[in-house]
Amino acid sequence: MKVEQHLMNIIKKGEGEHLEFMKEVRREDVAKTLCAFLNNYGGTVLIGVQPDGTVTGLTDLEKHEANLKNYLFDFITPNAPIMVSTETIANKKVIVAKVWNGLKPPYVCDGIIYFRHGTKTDKALTDDISKFTLTRQKSELHWESQPAIGIEMVDLDELEIRKTLKALTQSNRGKVFSEKNILGFLEYYGLYRNSSLTNAAVVLFAKEPSRYLPQCRIRVTVFKGTKSSDTFIYDRILEGNLFRNFEEIMQFFEVNIAVKSKFSDKKWLREDIAFPKSALREGLMNALIHRDYSNVSGSVIVAFYPDHLEITNYGELPVELKPSDLFKNHLSLPRNPHIAHVCFLREMIEKIGRGAVTVIEDCESKGYPKPKWQSKSGVTTLIFPEVTITAKTDNDVNDDIFDALNENLTDLVKVRLIGIMHFIDNHKGTKVSDLIKHFNVSERTIKDNLKSLIDSGLVIYKGSKRTGFYILNEGIKDRINN
């Protein structure tokens, strides 16, 4: 389902408790309505749409979007994840403004509390304010808001925090803080409360989060057979913070997922199809931000089988949602709002509430079957048919390769080097240009990687400087293929 079709389906439903149409940009009205949505399970404002659902569109979109963002961030308090984007419907431009259910109600717009009653945005009533108080009390008890025991500021990964501050400055998705005011940033976004770092801060930014919260670990496994009881050929536990784990797994995908090929009927030429990177990125991020961290035994497992990939996280879908709801417009209900909010600020969540649609679109556009969601027995699993691995080696071989490489190289680089070796093994006459195209990195990076492999005795360059190519050392080639 394309973005346009997704929005058209929303419009067909008509205005309601979580949806409002506006024919033009009225900043004050948009702010009041989003404030009401924040106080009442979230919602969307479509600007450039008449009350009857007719799409009339807008002009001067860039100016409107930037001004609206700044106004919303200034006039709605406390801070909240607000997504504002420009989309196209029937060749007309509209603005989409969307929010999740707010974690810290009551939310206030220009000093006034608003609530949504049916299709109307009104000043909150006494009963509404009572609901806010109860919701706020529950949020204070939420796992991610609880103080983390034994961790100090020095235990945080300052580089990842600085990356977040830089992304926030560039995206203008929330209040900006300087690199000298890290504590102010953590306090403002709910990661430092009552003189203590929270569990959410550990998940996002700790250098060694599993020391404090073992449930932060992620397992990446490649099974030989079709059942999880079968032996595996690769099995690693990642113990970094959310951002480092995410980066390492995406690098693993880049290196190890097999290229899907098909033959053109007209030219009888093989066409290599890229794997659905955006879908896997979105699916992995959803697992990391929606998992149930409150259970010490909870985890995320990324498991490859001979014919598919599974990404599983502890915690079922919210009771309000069924797997079938993910294929259509639905409220976004993040299990961990603070963690989700920071990922939104970091631009690792592109558009609120469109994750499942992005997953489906990317798979279909790349020629892969539609993914499947399962939610039962306390876990949620996203299944990607035909997304498979290239690696044929087992853990012992991978460990030997790791040991042979320079100890100063990071595990992330070593994973890519193993992937380069598999590519060389599977593609006769491999040249630098082949590796640049496959791994989507710079020529300098590939040449540095090849030098590391040659220095370690794992790869050999054969032939002249102009026409030569890379091959594996015969000893390691035999081990990989046996």
Side-chain angles (χ1 to χ4, degrees), residues 35-251:
C35 178
F37 286 154
L38 284 164
N39 287 324
N40 191 35
Y41 301 107
T44 302
V45 178
L46 293 179
I47 311 170
V49 180
Q50 298 283 352
D52 64 358
T54 302
V55 179
T56 50
L58 300 168
T59 56
D60 296 328
L61 265 296
E62 290 185 7
K63 176 183 175 182
H64 283 312
E65 185 178 337
N67 289 341
L68 182 60
K69 277 185 180 180
N70 291 333
Y71 184 87
L72 295 175
F73 290 138
D74 287 341
F75 281 84
I76 295 178
T77 56
N79 69 89
I82 301 172
M83 188 276 287
V84 179
S85 65
T86 297
E87 307 292 351
T88 301
I89 306 176
N91 296 319
K92 296 181 175 68
K93 298 291 185 180
V94 301
I95 290 178
V96 180
K98 189 167 186 175
V99 294
W100 288 316
N101 175 30
L103 182 64
K104 297 178 285 187
Y107 286 84
V108 176
C109 176
D110 200 17
I112 300 173
I113 302 171
Y114 291 93
F115 195 76
R116 191 75 171 175
H117 297 104
T119 60
K120 301 294 184 180
T121 294
D122 302 314
K123 293 181 181 180
L125 304 174
T126 303
D127 288 346
D128 299 327
I129 295 174
S130 297
K131 293 178 184 178
F132 303 153
T133 303
L134 181 60
T135 301
R136 188 68 174 255
Q137 289 172 344
K138 288 181 178 178
S139 73
E140 299 294 329
L141 298 174
H142 194 279
W143 178 87
E144 63 172 355
S145 300
Q146 294 298 301
I149 307 301
I151 186 168
E152 304 293 340
M153 289 290 292
V154 70
D155 299 313
L156 298 185
D157 186 338
E158 191 171 319
L159 177 60
E160 290 299 334
I161 296 176
R162 292 183 186 280
K163 286 181 181 178
T164 305
L165 294 175
K166 183 177 179 181
L168 182 53
T169 300
Q170 294 173 340
S171 69
N172 194 30
R173 287 188 168 191
K175 185 174 180 179
V176 175
F177 289 83
S178 73
E179 292 188 359
K180 296 180 180 179
N181 192 14
I182 289 176
L183 183 59
F185 161 75
L186 297 173
E187 286 181 319
Y188 187 80
Y189 288 104
L191 306 179
Y192 188 88
R193 302 174 66 246
N194 301 323
S195 302
S196 295
L197 290 164
T198 64
N199 287 332
V202 175
V203 171
L204 291 163
F205 294 123
K207 294 174 184 174
E208 301 176 87
S210 59
R211 284 182 55 195
Y212 314 96
L213 302 171
Q215 60 266 45
C216 290
R217 296 186 176 102
I218 300 176
R219 184 177 181 182
V220 181
T221 303
V222 181
F223 289 100
K224 282 186 177 180
T226 58
K227 299 179 181 179
S228 57
S229 58
D230 292 336
T231 56
F232 42 76
I233 59 176
Y234 181 92
D235 191 42
R236 287 197 178 276
I237 302 294
L238 306 182
E239 299 191 329
N241 57 49
L242 183 148
F243 297 116
R244 290 196 178 272
N245 284 344
F246 178 82
E247 181 183 0
E248 187 159 347
I249 294 171
M250 288 306 300
Q251 181 68 68

Side-chain angles (χ1 to χ4, degrees), residues 268-294:
W268 196 244
L269 296 173
R270 192 181 81 169
E271 178 185 355
D272 290 339
I273 304 171
F275 73 91
K277 182 177 179 180
S278 294
L280 267 57
R281 183 184 189 278
E282 191 72 33
L284 176 60
M285 179 52 59
N286 280 341
L288 296 180
I289 65 175
H290 290 296
R291 67 189 285 189
D292 184 358
Y293 287 97
S294 65

Side-chain angles (χ1 to χ4, degrees), residues 427-445:
H427 297 79
K428 188 175 180 180
T430 297
K431 299 179 180 294
V432 169
S433 58
D434 300 321
L435 295 168
I436 292 171
K437 181 178 178 181
H438 181 77
F439 292 103
N440 193 30
V441 294
S442 67
E443 179 178 358
R444 179 176 179 179
T445 296

